[in-house]
Amino acid sequence: MASYHGFSVLSAAEVAAQIPHGAMVGFSGFTPAGVAKAIPGALAQRAQAMRVAGLPYQLRVLTG
């Protein structure tokens, strides 16, 4: 895991891997350019992989 000015830096896939089935995830426009686009894509990839594996993966999503 990398760090930037003392903060941990995770890839979008690493973030998605930490969000469990049934979680509520909120997205906002108050992030650096590109950040809000990377995480939803990684979550979609994770959901597809879970479905192929026969495991449930469903999220509640809030946006603003």
Side-chain angles (χ1 to χ4, degrees):
M1 179 179 353
S3 66
Y4 179 76
H5 294 289
F7 293 96
S8 297
V9 177
L10 302 172
S11 70
E14 289 172 321
V15 170
Q18 294 185 32
I19 299 174
H21 167 69
M24 182 181 300
V25 181
F27 294 100
S28 174
F30 297 105
T31 59
V35 173
K37 296 174 187 167
I39 303 301
L43 285 169
Q45 289 177 344
R46 178 161 189 233
Q48 286 178 324
M50 297 287 280
R51 173 172 244 154
V52 167
L55 300 170
Y57 192 72
Q58 189 172 25
L59 301 173
R60 295 172 62 194
V61 177
L62 303 172
T63 62

